[in-house]
Amino acid sequence: MAGAALGGRAVAAPVASTGLPSGAHVSALVIGTGYGGSVAALRLAQAGVDVAMVEMGMAWDTPGADGRIFANTTAPDQRSFWLRTRTKQPLSNFLGFPIDKDIPRYTGILDAEDFAGITVYQGRGVGGGSLVNGGMAVTPKRENFGAILPSVNPDEMYDVYYPRANEGLGVGTVRPAWFDSADCYQYARVGRKQAQRSGFPFVFVPDVYDWDYMEKEATGAVPKSALAGEILYGNNYGKKSLQKTYLPRIAATGRVSVSPLHRVTSVAPAPGGGYTVSMEQLTTDGTVTTTKTVTADKVFFAAGSVGTSKLLVKLKATGALPNLNGEVGKNWGDNGNVMCGRANQIWDPTGSLQASIPCGGIDNWAAGGAFAEVAPLPTGIETWASFYLSITKNPNRAQFTWNPATQRVDLNWQTAWKQPSIDMAKSIFDRINAKEGTIYRTDLFGVYKIWGDHLTYHPLGGAVLGRATDNYGRLAGHPGLYVIDGALIPGNTSVNPFVTITALAERNIEKIVATDF
Ligand code: FAE
């Protein structure tokens, strides 16, 4: 097994703050440290392969001036946003007033990446999206799987890889008896009652939050995280992000280096075989201090749907990877995300204390094409608002293309393409409003604006399995290059995506380790 070596010196141990040395040669280089990248690195290292992980975001292992690693959702600061001078909060308004504020430019944890017709929220740092997400860990219903990944055998996914992913991620469910009595889930119980009164099934949604820890938060026995409103900018306690699951197992192999604040800019065939990987080292204000070049026998693209798609589209268009096929950049979707709030009757308060971790949803997928999470609005005051993130069967798909004039990658998604999502979400909320005699909130996304239709949390596709790659993520035209993240999934998973991303990565890496190394 080839080892990572620089002039004969192994560099597989955890890398110091300077990161991977320029000129290094590594067996396997993984771009990104989210779900796909973490699965790839763990399984390769367990098979005896030395791995270098390269991550553009920070390590998120050091407390800030307030003694905490992560900022609170209600008090965003420089740690909260990726290289912005003003916050861009998904809920931009409250009671109609804008709530964004100026912050110092910093390599913060949440990227609100703007394309012409949509803002795509993504996690930045070692752990990727697991650092910022709600932890909702949902395995799609088996009857929906054929539409999600048509070329993958469902038996192997549901018998082997979904169970492996759920175990590796530490997925659990709220204890129903506690849910029924906890103050912090009053908002979810209101959501359940209203769903059921309108004839919709309410389902508990599994999550990687440590549910025992949350129960202790409620008693005051431990420091609060979910009950302190932490979520979008990281959880200081309680949530089992990849920092608590796959990443410690990766470190324990002793075969994987991680280089934070390193952004990959190019991958091209190396003269002597393998690939030349170029990267920039960043300071926390985003300045590029160093550019480095390493060689790798094999390269795994795990930069997330947007990150991987942007790299591949650029590298094909600029001639660095000329043999990639025409499917690269295509079939990108937003998982049908759309948000809305409802104003409840005065006798239906949703609670001033709201756990930031959602634990239930309204399933109208089969009849109306929508699965709506009952989400918190952890403002600390009673709002009588119910808030929802819906995942819908939106059929629209967008394409990434290289723009030579701006030297950037564009995405042709249009805001109007959210209309099917709105219509599907209305299949739930129009009925609930009619039954309850209630109305939509119009003050959360602007002034008199009902729908949060400008964003997604769930980018998927751009290098789709069986199209841009073979049926295991091997990129067409360049042996030794792989895609192993959400870019493989063609735009929709019918539920929250990270369990499917993890399970698919587990499936693909098992085959790749067995046959390509
Ligand atoms: P991802 O986790 O995004 O990791 C990619 C990594 O690559 C990131 O760390 C990037 O910084 C890094 N990167 C990108 N470009 C480069 C480059 N050029 N060089 C070096 N590094 C690079 O990818 N999903 C759920 O299932 N349940 C939820 O409750 C949920 N809630 C969410 C809430 C929010 C606010 C957000 C933003 C997302 C949420 N998601 C949720 C989505 C989920 O986090 C996302 O699907 C996965 O993280 C995607 O996994 P990947 O491995 O594809």
Side-chain angles (χ1 to χ4, degrees):
M1 198 64 62
L6 172 64
R9 183 169 63 84
V11 290
V15 159
S17 55
T18 50
L20 204 57
S22 198
H25 171 254
V26 298
S27 306
L29 187 138
V30 177
I31 307 169
T33 57
Y35 295 94
S38 294
V39 170
L42 176 64
R43 301 309 176 193
L44 288 165
Q46 287 176 334
V49 181
D50 291 328
V51 182
M53 298 180 89
V54 179
E55 168 57 53
M56 68 193 266
M58 307 202 315
W60 297 108
D61 56 1
T62 311
D66 60 358
R68 288 168 188 258
I69 292 176
F70 303 113
N72 197 282
T73 311
T74 54
D77 61 25
Q78 61 174 10
R79 290 169 292 188
S80 304
F81 280 88
W82 177 257
L83 301 179
R84 274 184 179 272
T85 51
R86 190 166 174 77
T87 64
K88 182 155 186 167
Q89 303 186 60
L91 262 79
S92 54
N93 292 59
F94 191 61
L95 303 175
F97 291 102
I99 56 173
D100 281 314
K101 65 175 201 183
D102 292 340
I103 48 168
R105 186 180 147 92
Y106 190 71
T107 47
I109 200 161
L110 185 64
D111 193 353
E113 187 169 2
D114 290 322
F115 293 97
I118 194 164
T119 300
V120 184
Y121 284 87
Q122 298 152 90
R124 295 278 173 249
V126 176
S130 82
L131 297 166
V132 298
N133 67 33
M136 279 172 280
V138 194
T139 300
K141 282 189 180 159
R142 193 172 172 143
E143 68 247 36
N144 296 331
F145 186 79
I148 300 167
L149 287 164
S151 64
V152 175
N153 175 358
D155 289 340
E156 59 179 34
M157 290 297 281
Y158 284 83
D159 293 347
V160 180
Y161 301 109
Y162 274 120
R164 188 175 294 172
N166 275 284
E167 195 191 335
L169 295 166
V171 177
T173 306
V174 66
R175 197 161 59 83
W178 184 72
F179 171 83
D180 280 335
S181 63
D183 290 346
C184 62
Y185 279 124
Q186 186 177 335
Y187 74 94
R189 291 195 299 276
V190 169
R192 176 176 65 181
K193 179 182 76 177
Q194 295 178 339
Q196 291 175 342
R197 280 160 55 99
S198 285
F200 296 113
F202 175 91
V203 292
F204 282 119
V205 174
D207 200 284
V208 297
Y209 204 86
D210 181 336
W211 294 102
D212 292 336
Y213 189 88
M214 199 192 292
E215 289 194 26
K216 291 193 189 115
E217 289 181 44
T219 68
V222 295
K224 290 185 172 52
S225 180
L227 270 54
E230 293 180 349
I231 181 166
L232 275 181
Y233 312 129
N235 283 76
N236 287 295
Y237 316 94
K239 194 174 87 184
K240 289 176 281 179
S241 72
L242 292 169
Q243 288 187 324
K244 295 188 179 165
T245 55
Y246 276 87
L247 287 163
R249 293 172 71 194
I250 288 168
T253 67
R255 287 193 172 274
V256 183
S257 70
V258 182
S259 300
L261 290 173
H262 282 61
R263 179 168 56 203
V264 170
T265 53
S266 178
V267 178
Y275 292 89
T276 303
V277 182
S278 307
M279 57 191 85
E280 301 169 334
Q281 186 168 5
L282 309 175
T283 57
T284 52
D285 66 3
T287 307
V288 176
T289 54
T290 319
T291 54
K292 299 178 178 180
T293 305
V294 304
T295 53
D297 298 337
K298 297 189 177 0
V299 178
F300 291 80
F301 287 83
S305 161
V306 174
T308 291
S309 302
K310 284 197 313 187
L311 274 172
L312 293 176
V313 163
K314 177 179 101 171
L315 297 175
K316 177 172 166 59
T318 56
L321 293 175
N323 303 335
L324 295 176
N325 71 23
E327 293 290 329
V328 160
K330 290 186 179 162
N331 281 301
W332 183 87
D334 68 340
N335 210 26
N337 279 192
V338 69
M339 294 177 177
C340 68
R342 291 180 38 262
N344 286 305
Q345 302 284 8
I346 195 86
W347 55 83
D348 266 338
T350 47
S352 55
L353 174 67
Q354 302 199 355
S356 61
I357 300 296
C359 70
I362 304 167
D363 186 2
N364 195 34
W365 189 261
F371 175 79
E373 287 147 10
V374 179
L377 211 54
T379 56
I381 55 169
E382 177 58 59
T383 61
W384 286 273
S386 285
F387 182 55
Y388 308 90
L389 168 63
S390 297
I391 294 163
T392 65
K393 214 185 275 185
N394 189 321
N396 289 314
R397 296 292 178 269
Q399 183 177 354
F400 293 96
T401 50
W402 177 245
N403 183 335
T406 58
Q407 296 281 296
R408 292 171 64 92
V409 174
D410 295 334
L411 180 66
N412 69 350
W413 183 273
Q414 297 169 32
T415 311
W417 292 3
K418 287 277 194 186
Q419 192 58 45
S421 294
I422 294 173
D423 295 341
M424 291 171 196
K426 279 162 71 80
S427 77
I428 297 177
F429 303 116
D430 279 2
R431 194 149 113 203
I432 292 180
N433 276 338
K435 177 81 184 169
E436 304 296 330
T438 51
I439 55 169
Y440 289 100
R441 292 282 290 229
T442 56
D443 63 327
L444 300 173
F445 301 103
V447 181
Y448 296 114
K449 180 164 166 53
I450 292 176
W451 297 97
D453 59 356
H454 58 297
L455 83 175
T456 185
Y457 286 173
H458 298 166
L460 292 166
V464 164
L465 190 80
R467 290 173 175 259
T469 74
D470 75 356
N471 202 27
Y472 290 91
R474 300 180 184 95
L475 270 161
H478 291 283
L481 295 187
Y482 308 86
V483 175
I484 192 142
D485 59 14
L488 290 171
I489 299 174
N492 201 299
T493 54
S494 76
V495 291
N496 316 64
F498 76 62
V499 175
T500 296
I501 294 170
T502 305
L504 183 65
E506 289 281 15
R507 167 193 179 267
N508 292 353
I509 198 68
E510 189 170 270
K511 173 69 95 186
I512 291 163
V513 165
T515 57
D516 296 14
F517 282 83

